[in-house]
């Protein structure tokens, strides 16, 4: 086992994307809002006959990378990133800074000098709601208040493409009953949060996070799991994985650390995370009882919730739907219980022969959540772990319970979303979405894949990317990524990148299919660049410019090849796009479109084309 | 440009898969049929309390790898592989061996001594139907004849899982009107071929190929494109790519070579290919006129068809649906015409201002096809090359024409399948399938992807794997793979592997969703192995055992880790499967299932479990 180490500045990836600059869009209701986006500059379209240049408008894209890709921001991982939400929270005057942490365990760790070398350098005092106050975005929304967080996500969702949208034709989508407006307004955001159909995970102790929204009427989001396990990885690596995941497009991350020093690792991650951070508190609680599920108690768990809430975790996965009576339903399964949290709670229930303390103490948990605005991610502890177990009694019994719990959470104005499977064959995916919408009153759905077959370990980012794209289309709000290492080992940095990009493209495919306004803009811009052999633009508009460029350069590395009207796939004579361009250019030169060429039916045009053709070719 | 070189024996990959042996199932109607399959041997399930061992039955899987994975077969790439169909063809007595090749170009090449160093060593004389004979499988099927090819595919489709099927429960599928029987009989195969709903590509000059069937009522197949381009690759590499693609699961390959020495490259590939080989003859025809589309003639094209038919190409992609009148419909597209063949023909049509010679000579082409049993793959030259162009007028106009041509081909008893797109957002995929079924009388559909977004070059195996799985589910018979290099460059060997496995898993996901009988058997076996920590079995049952193993070993390389009840992903304490096993083992030991544990409601059981738990943990 490697020794833990704190992050070295050099390991953090900060360079901007090629031909991209960070832009900030100011709020209108809240003038101190500056929503970060990435603007990709494109080269001109050059007419191959006349040489006439036509500029291509820059393309603005959703940007999850935080300050790391802004060369004007100083990054010091030992200080943490800018706390953009701090003043908004203070201005609401419903919270107070505590003089010390409320969790016993947290204080123990802080006082343990043997941990000094691992500790984040600038730990701040936590904030908490003033007595009797509810500080959740849902509470504000129900009061009719548009918070800066709400305006932020409204601006962010629109991606500054109102202008582009007006000119872009795009295919009408099929949205299965969603209600996606043409332009997202702050008021629409508020309404959606008030009715529970959307969530902005935004713990008051994570002021560093740039607000993002989950909901079926918004862009589909993705989550990247990071975190070390007992057998591998260090704090340094995990912080870089967090920054790296955001760089490639993670809308939020979950820290699933289960090794030593979970508390310290989390502090480093949250202080440097520009996206919301989720956890599964039972993991740490289990470490506190040395891995003996049966020794878990409500008190230990509760202290863990408070510990993590005061560090700034934005949402907790809580497997409160794993009820005692459901455990036997898993006995005949091919793969039993495959959720870590679910299996821990099942073991506890059996060992004590008691109802789960997460279920029995659910309202107390709500009280904690609303004091910090931690959102529920109601865990699907009984999700199927194999195709055989998909959509079974245990899974759907738990889902019904999650629906009941959602209603209780909403009674407390606690923001809530629901976790979903797992392993499900394609034709059984839609039933999951439909049942979730019905059982949970349209609370956002957050699924892991689903994986559409079990037979491809090593490629489970793909088996699950298929299911993820489909369930995203059907209405899921957030897709939890799966990396190529799923079922086999802990993902490394490259696995994280592959997982994130796979899920980013799946989420985008879902947005296109739902007909999300403006979603097709980037596809159109990239395809136009492709057709015009603007190779650099094609790379820069893609989800992974580095990889696209490196694949191209593998066979044609010369700079000249970046303006060539072909690539190594077909070579110069066989490039369909080149031939197609020639057909078009010919028509353009004649000041005729192809329609006219044909309709005129003039034989001599054909002859001219032939003559012209002779010089177009090599 | 590299110098071409002929294959060196050493470059060909021949090793068997781990814990796998080649088995051969004999025919009943035709006793000289031996259908190759791969049998994967599994280890025993060991009860962790009693130590009792229960054997796991071996799993038989579909095997496309040919003799290369049979250690009992001598492989000599300079001789070509065994000609398993030769005697069947001779026995039908409707063909004759010609004294020389019929194609002028072929004879030119054979007489060109400067090519001797590149030439396949043992070129055989071609066979052709006797005058007036039709040697297509469709012709035989309509005559009520069950050929050895038909019985072969029937046995092959069943994968020897009739026994397994009887005990396996699997989810009922959703097949959108397909008619998939529980067991595939030779008579069913015959009926499906007779009515045009299935195709066995089986040129009489490619007796080396192991018959495989395409059709919506059979397992979904995949195609791998190989072949060099003018800028890269050698004959040696392409032959190894062919063998390599079959190894990983390609049901057939297309040789899309466009560089020099297309003729010689093809000979090497066909003589060593255990799967059907397709081509796009217009590519070679274009090389013959030095890349000038307008110089193409029917005579040059016809000579090319005969040249390739006598070498043994099993199907030809022919873009006969790109009619003059459709070309202008592409003028306003974002990406024009993106099919190489389509753009060549569009250029020819415009240059001559004439209807395509492929369309006007279609019946003559049918005459050639039925003389060798070459199947039509009616090309979609106007497929959309971007999301923006999906399902447009040009695309569907061409599809209607392909439907007309299908009827003409069937009149000649020529086996026919239809190519499909391309780039299509998820919600517009099903319309493609529905229209194809209607327009083309259920002739098998063969699609490229479709890609569900344009924004992920470098990951287009995934953007397209999503669409491929979906359209496979809807009824597509064969999925043409896309590699990570799509749009960027020529795929190398590793790209071929990634593309093949991605499409194999997509095809399998489609089989599961259609409810193909027995499809779930391998998933269930792998999931059971996973749950029981039979790591070796999990690797060996997967589509890519090497990669799965290497990913596991990256973090836990020790041999002992292959029997450990956890992996590096969660570590020992957090493995849900381990905890779930413990719950189950506990119940088993008490000779109670969990249901009874609970129902009995006995508190002391809980205490016992606690005690037991203490020693189970580390």
């Amino acid at each position: 086992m490697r020794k833990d180490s704190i992050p070295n500045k050099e390991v953090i990836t900060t360079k901007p994307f090629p031909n991209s600059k960070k832009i900030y869009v100011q709020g209108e209701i809240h003038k101190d809002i500056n929503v970060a986006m990435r603007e990709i500059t494109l080269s001109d379209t050059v007419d191959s006959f006349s040489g006439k240049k036509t500029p291509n408008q820059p393309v603005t894209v959703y940007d999850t990378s935080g300050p790391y890709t802004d060369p004007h921001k100083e990054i010091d991982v030992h200080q943490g990133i800018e706390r953009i939400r701090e003043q908004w929270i203070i201005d609401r005057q419903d919270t107070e800074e505590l003089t010390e942490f409320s969790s016993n365990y947290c204080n123990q760790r802080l006082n343990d000098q043997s941990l000094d070398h691992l500790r984040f350098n600038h730990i701040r005092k936590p904030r908490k709601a003033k007595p009797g106050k509810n500080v959740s975005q849902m509470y504000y929304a129900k009061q009719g208040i548009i918070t800066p967080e709400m305006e932020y996500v409204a601006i962010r969702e629109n991606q500054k493409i109102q202008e582009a949208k007006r000119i872009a034709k795009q295919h009408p989508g099929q949205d299965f009953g969603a209600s996606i407006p043409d332009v997202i307004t702050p008021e629409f955001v508020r309404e959606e949060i008030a009715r529970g159909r959307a969530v902005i995970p935004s713990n008051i102790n994570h002021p560093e996070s740039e607000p993002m929204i989950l909901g079926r009427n918004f862009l589909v989001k993705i989550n990247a799991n990071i975190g070390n396990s007992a057998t591998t990885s260090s704090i340094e690596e995990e912080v870089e994985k967090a920054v790296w995941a955001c760089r490639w497009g993670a809308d939020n991350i979950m820290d699933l650390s289960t090794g030593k020093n979970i508390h310290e690792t989390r502090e480093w991650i949250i202080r440097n995370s520009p996206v919301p951070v989720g956890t599964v508190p039972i993991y740490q609680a289990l470490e506190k009882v040395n891995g003996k599920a049966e020794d878990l108690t409500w008190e230990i768990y509760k202290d863990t919730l408070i510990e993590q809430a005061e560090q700034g975790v934005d949402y907790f996965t809580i497997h409160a739907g794993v009820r005692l009576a459901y455990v036997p339903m898993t006995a005949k399964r091919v793969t039993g219980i495959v959720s870590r949290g679910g299996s821990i709670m099942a073991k506890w229930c059996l060992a004590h022969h008691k109802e789960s303390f997460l279920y029995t103490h659910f309202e107390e948990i709500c009280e904690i959540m609303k004091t910090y605005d931690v959102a529920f991610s109601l865990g699907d502890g009984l999700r199927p772990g194999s195709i055989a177990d998909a959509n079974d009694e245990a899974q759907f019994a738990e889902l019904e319970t999650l629906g009941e719990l959602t209603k209780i959470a909403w009674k407390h104005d606690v923001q809530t979303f629901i976790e979903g499977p797992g392993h499900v064959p394609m034709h059984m995916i839609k039933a999951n979405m439909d049942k979730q919408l019905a059982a949970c009153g349209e609370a956002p759905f957050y699924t892991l894949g689903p994986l559409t077959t079990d037979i491809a370990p090593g490629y489970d980012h793909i088996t699950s990317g298929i299911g993820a794209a489909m369930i995203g289309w059907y209405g899921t709000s957030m897709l939890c990524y799966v990396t190529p290492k799923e079922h086999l080992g802990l993902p490394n940095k490259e696995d994280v990148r592959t997982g994130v990009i796979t899920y980013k493209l799946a989420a985008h495919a879902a947005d296109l299919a739902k007909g999300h306004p403006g979603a097709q803009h980037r596809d159109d811009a990239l395809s136009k660049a492709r057709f015009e052999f603007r190779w650099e633009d094609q790379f820069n508009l893609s989800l992974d410019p580095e990889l696209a460029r490196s694949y191209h350069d593998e066979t044609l590395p010369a700079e000249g090849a970046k303006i060539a009207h072909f690539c190594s796939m077909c070579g110069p004579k066989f490039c369909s796009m080149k031939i197609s361009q020639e057909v078009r250019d010919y028509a353009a030169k004649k000041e005729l479109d192809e329609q006219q060429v044909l309709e005129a039916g003039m034989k001599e045009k054909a002859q001219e084309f032939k003559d012209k053709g002779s010089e177009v070719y090599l």
Side-chain angles (χ1 to χ4, degrees), chain A residues 320-321 323 326 355 359 362-363 366 376 378 396-412 416 418 435-436 438-441 443:
Chain A
R323 299 192 59 181
Y326 303 157
E355 188 58 271
Y359 184 81
F362 193 74
E363 300 227 24
C366 292
F376 275 115
L378 292 177
F396 287 142
E398 183 186 31
L399 182 58
E400 290 297 328
T401 299
L402 299 185
E404 286 167 35
L405 296 173
T406 301
K407 289 191 189 78
I408 297 171
W410 284 352
K411 194 182 70 187
H412 291 269
T416 302
I418 313 294
K435 279 184 198 283
Q436 189 273 344
C440 304

Side-chain angles (χ1 to χ4, degrees), chain A residues 590-601:
Chain A
K590 292 291 165 203
E591 293 178 82
L592 291 166
D593 65 29
E594 290 93 329
Q595 187 69 46
Q596 285 172 290
V597 175
L598 290 167
E599 282 170 1

